[in-house]
Amino acid sequence: MCGIVGFVGKQDAAPILLDGLRRLEYRGYDSAGIAVCGEEGIAIAKSRGRLQVLSDATRGGADLPGVMGIGHTRWATHGEPNDINAHPHLSRSGKIAVVHNGIIENYMELKISLLEKGYTFRSETDTEVVAQLLDYYYEGCGDFFEALNCTLNAVDGAYALGIICADYPDRIYATRKDAPLLLGYGEGENYLASDVTALIRYTRDIVYMDDGEVAVLSDKGIRLYDRMLRPMEKEHHHIDWEIDAAEKGGYAHFMLKEIMEQPRAVREATAARIQDGRIVLSDLSMTPEQIRAIRKLYIVACGSSYHVGMVGKYNLERLLRRNVEVCLASEFRYSDPIVGEGDLVIIISQSGETLDTMAALREAKKRGARILSIVNVVGSSIARESHDVLYTWAGPEIAVATTKAYSTQMAVLNLLGLYFGDVMGTVDYETYENAVRGILALPEQMETILAKKDRIREMAKLCVDHDDVFFIGRNLDYALSLEGSLKLKEISYIHSEAYASGELKHGTISLIEDGTPVIALGTYAPLFDKAMSNVVEVQARGAKLIALTTDSHAAAMAERVDAVISIPDTEAMLLPQLGVVPLQMLAYYIALERGCDIDKPRNLAKSVTVE
Ligand code: AGP
């Protein structure tokens, strides 16, 4: 989603803004722009398309001299992606420039009232309303801070805003509501950004802004105000990951790098939480009594994080012998959910900023449920609003298509399930011990799968020229197939569907024809024979079959299918942890063969901060 950067200091702002925006590219965007306040007022450059276009057009920023400015990468919501709709947006007086992430929901109402007052609009965006409204109030009262206050009282919706005013050429104004924004503290210079990856080259001293807060940045410092606009202080966070973690490090794509990082990421997410064969969740504040008293369990998330929840449902229901409801956050929030005191809502989110997930969290919290979140980005909104957070410690994930975040979320959810099962007394000693041993072996087993990359690349060729692919599986394999299918469609643009194998014959099998690729998952041993029957079923209709199974079933599977890839045998509950790796690689190599923009797939954003 849209990315915001801001810089105020003593050196030229434009190259720093462009560099910051480059590091936010992974969030997804379709146009970009910068505004710099120089001696002659505010100069703006913006353009549709990749950041390089903007950089070339401004000679790397050299055409916009000035030590203070704001920048933006836009992911279009209101108005098509073009130069005019790109941010920053300038007010009628030419004195105020605004960048915005989010949606101003009452923009039409505000726009009509401004039109009646004689304002005209250049763009189709909701954001321009903010610029013109600020202009209107500022003209009326002559006090910019007051004008900002009036504007914020008038707008509804979600926003992170970076604002500059030519009358105050030494200041950037920033505020947020339901969209991420953080402040970076430097020596004689200060920064604003949507996430830390934009700032890590310049500072590691960060403050996360909360809803309703306003910041005024200058080269002398940052003044912070609470939602009543009273001066306030906030806790500073030190970012300790290395800049290399946000660079490609020799890989062709971030996605490939992040696939390859999974053994390390899963090890980091789990090893420190296992001591002498016991799972120790020292970051969990729930007491054994509170765990035993849980009335109902929900898992709420979006996209791949929701798919982790689907795997979690199978595993947690087995471990805890109780019902686990998995909900799409975007549905949960509007479903008048039957959730309340005594219930535990597990929120899963890589970014910790997904708007629907955040709204679902607030809804559940408002109704009295306890919130435990599994989050990657430290200090993110979801993490801060939860009663408990288990961080996944995957490091920065840059590719839009999640890989290592998915794996670490699943690893943490499995640990949680085993821990709860132990406390609740629903997991026997042997299951617990075997699972812990299995978890510790995962990183090494993942390495053996990664070593099969050439074979998987070869298999990818079977799907490259097709428009439709089906994934089928039962039980945990079905949950896993959802993720395999999403990975494929988001980066290769091949239409694919994931089906519970038993459902095929109730309609979808009519779509299988000669040569249709079907990726059959048969890793779950208790249902291997059923998986084989479904393989035969689609084969009889002409399907071309790629199968995923375990080493011990590979030979039996190979007799029936066109190509087979196997994963090491492990405990049933851990199979998706291994099975997802070849599916990620398959999607990656198919997209590579098709020449797709793998790290920045069309229309997608890394962090979905709009509804
Ligand atoms: C998957 O590859 C996507 N990036 C997407 O489905 C993602 O998982 C979803 O938008 C949820 O994001 P979150 O985990 O940051 O909340």
Side-chain angles (χ1 to χ4, degrees):
M1 289 281 115
C2 305
I4 289 177
V5 293
F7 171 81
V8 51
K10 294 187 174 61
Q11 46 180 325
D12 272 335
I16 294 172
L17 297 175
L18 289 170
D19 179 62
L21 291 178
R22 190 172 66 74
R23 288 165 203 285
L24 295 181
E25 276 191 296
Y26 76 96
R27 294 168 66 89
Y29 71 106
D30 43 53
S31 54
I34 53 174
V36 174
C37 196
E39 279 171 12
E40 284 162 27
I42 294 175
I44 290 189
K46 49 189 192 173
S47 58
R48 187 199 162 138
R50 292 291 173 218
L51 199 54
Q52 194 56 45
V53 179
L54 179 68
S55 181
D56 292 346
T58 57
R59 295 186 304 127
D63 291 348
L64 282 81
V67 295
M68 187 270 276
I70 48 179
H72 189 264
T73 45
R74 174 175 186 248
W75 190 84
T77 56
H78 292 59
E80 65 175 278
N82 61 27
D83 292 1
I84 295 172
N85 289 332
H87 301 206
H89 289 286
L90 201 58
S91 69
R92 178 171 75 177
S93 63
K95 281 186 180 175
I96 300 164
V98 174
V99 290
H100 167 219
N101 172 18
I103 293 177
I104 305 298
E105 285 169 3
N106 60 340
Y107 85 102
M108 195 42 93
E109 186 189 306
L110 296 170
K111 188 169 179 171
I112 291 168
S113 124
L114 284 161
L115 285 166
E116 283 165 5
K117 292 180 174 80
Y119 276 82
T120 52
F121 288 79
R122 299 179 195 94
S123 76
E124 302 156 86
T125 64
D126 52 331
T127 305
E128 194 182 349
V129 166
V130 179
Q132 307 298 16
L133 205 56
L134 275 164
D135 194 281
Y136 168 72
Y137 285 125
Y138 184 45
E139 214 177 84
C141 70
D143 178 338
F144 195 72
F145 202 68
E146 181 53 27
L148 177 59
N149 187 20
C150 295
T151 303
L152 296 180
N153 286 334
V155 295
D156 286 337
Y159 50 79
L161 292 167
I163 303 163
I164 58 175
C165 175
D167 288 347
Y168 304 92
D170 58 344
R171 288 174 217 178
I172 302 174
Y173 295 82
T175 185
R176 64 156 268 179
K177 180 175 163 282
D178 296 338
L181 200 59
L182 51 91
L183 306 163
Y185 291 72
E187 293 283 319
E189 49 193 40
N190 290 300
Y191 308 83
L192 178 70
S194 297
D195 72 52
V196 280
T197 44
L199 304 187
I200 195 79
R201 266 190 75 190
Y202 306 100
T203 179
R204 289 165 182 279
D205 186 5
I206 301 294
V207 162
Y208 296 98
M209 290 184 75
D210 280 303
D211 283 356
E213 292 171 358
V214 174
V216 184
L217 295 79
S218 73
D219 61 353
K220 295 182 186 61
I222 302 179
R223 276 182 283 132
L224 260 170
Y225 301 87
D226 67 12
R227 51 186 82 203
M228 307 301 293
L229 299 184
R230 294 172 299 215
M232 65 180 293
E233 299 288 329
K234 282 201 85 170
E235 183 194 355
H236 286 227
H237 292 260
H238 179 78
I239 304 300
D240 54 10
W241 46 264
E242 292 306 317
I243 192 159
D244 293 3
E247 305 279 356
K248 275 193 221 153
Y251 285 96
H253 297 97
F254 279 112
M255 184 179 176
L256 185 59
K257 176 181 176 243
E258 288 158 7
I259 288 173
M260 294 298 179
E261 280 173 355
Q262 287 179 109
R264 184 197 55 74
V266 168
R267 186 177 292 116
E268 276 178 21
T270 54
R273 291 177 166 132
I274 298 175
Q275 291 164 19
D276 299 326
R278 307 293 303 165
I279 295 164
V280 182
L281 300 181
S282 48
D283 33 4
L284 189 72
S285 70
M286 290 179 82
T287 62
E289 291 69 35
Q290 284 171 325
I291 293 169
R292 281 191 280 268
I294 294 171
R295 197 175 63 168
K296 186 153 183 206
L297 272 154
Y298 292 81
I299 302 177
V300 182
C302 298
S304 294
S305 298
Y306 168 78
H307 296 159
V308 170
M310 288 294 287
V311 172
K313 176 180 170 69
Y314 287 103
N315 284 342
L316 266 59
E317 286 189 345
R318 268 188 199 115
L319 293 168
L320 311 180
R321 299 315 306 152
R322 58 171 70 205
N323 214 272
V324 177
E325 204 167 314
V326 191
C327 309
L328 289 166
S330 52
E331 290 295 316
F332 180 89
R333 61 182 293 196
Y334 294 121
S335 65
D336 192 6
I338 307 167
V339 61
E341 223 166 296
D343 297 335
L344 180 70
V345 176
I346 301 174
I347 297 277
I348 307 179
S349 176
Q350 187 284 131
S351 61
E353 300 291 351
T354 302
L355 189 69
D356 282 321
T357 311
M358 185 71 208
L361 179 159
R362 288 182 178 160
E363 188 61 43
K365 202 170 166 185
K366 194 173 81 195
R367 290 168 188 248
R370 189 179 177 100
I371 311 294
L372 187 164
S373 63
I374 297 178
V375 173
N376 191 36
V377 177
V378 176
S380 54
S381 305
I382 287 175
R384 283 179 293 136
E385 293 200 21
S386 302
H387 297 108
D388 283 287
V389 191
L390 294 177
Y391 282 113
T392 50
W393 301 329
E397 189 180 68
I398 307 293
V400 167
T402 181
T403 52
K404 63 176 178 171
Y406 173 94
S407 292
T408 52
Q409 287 167 348
M410 198 189 291
V412 171
L413 191 56
N414 283 335
L415 288 178
L416 185 72
L418 286 161
Y419 181 78
F420 276 6
D422 187 37
V423 173
M424 290 175 180
T426 49
V427 178
D428 63 72
Y429 181 71
E430 199 187 339
T431 308
Y432 184 94
E433 250 210 335
N434 289 342
V436 167
R437 209 174 303 122
I439 289 170
L440 291 171
L442 284 173
E444 215 166 295
Q445 291 180 315
M446 285 176 138
E447 297 284 5
T448 68
I449 303 168
L450 294 172
K452 295 181 183 178
K453 67 178 193 316
D454 292 341
R455 161 126 191 80
I456 297 171
R457 188 168 189 168
E458 226 13 73
M459 285 164 64
K461 294 191 179 134
L462 295 172
C463 300
V464 169
D465 298 323
H466 290 267
D467 296 328
D468 303 286
V469 171
F470 289 87
F471 285 74
I472 56 171
R474 286 171 185 265
N475 203 274
L476 282 166
D477 282 327
Y478 167 57
L480 175 59
S481 72
L482 295 169
E483 178 61 5
S485 170
L486 180 64
K487 283 284 88 73
L488 182 66
K489 56 192 148 204
E490 66 183 329
I491 60 166
S492 76
Y493 315 142
I494 294 177
H495 164 250
S496 86
E497 291 202 40
Y499 255 86
S501 312
E503 265 301 290
L504 268 187
K505 57 187 168 299
H506 299 293
T508 312
I509 201 161
S510 65
L511 296 173
I512 307 290
E513 53 187 22
D514 229 10
T516 306
V518 173
I519 300 175
L521 276 54
T523 68
Y524 184 56
L527 295 178
F528 181 75
D529 292 344
K530 302 267 179 222
M532 281 303 268
S533 326
N534 295 123
V535 161
V536 175
E537 196 174 67
V538 289
Q539 208 160 40
R541 274 84 186 171
K544 183 157 64 177
L545 272 143
I546 295 178
L548 174 73
T549 189
T550 52
D551 289 344
S552 58
H553 287 102
M557 188 63 101
E559 281 175 25
R560 300 289 327 191
V561 301
D562 298 272
V564 62
I565 179 86
S566 67
I567 56 171
D569 289 87
T570 182
E571 295 305 305
M573 66 175 281
L574 304 177
L575 286 164
Q577 289 260 234
L578 297 178
V580 75
V581 179
L583 298 183
Q584 295 163 344
M585 293 170 95
L586 194 63
Y588 174 80
Y589 286 119
I590 292 171
L592 191 68
E593 287 284 331
R594 288 166 68 93
C596 300
D597 192 350
I598 292 179
D599 285 336
K600 297 188 275 290
R602 70 183 178 212
N603 305 337
L604 293 180
K606 183 67 181 163
S607 168
V608 184
T609 51
V610 294
E611 266 194 73

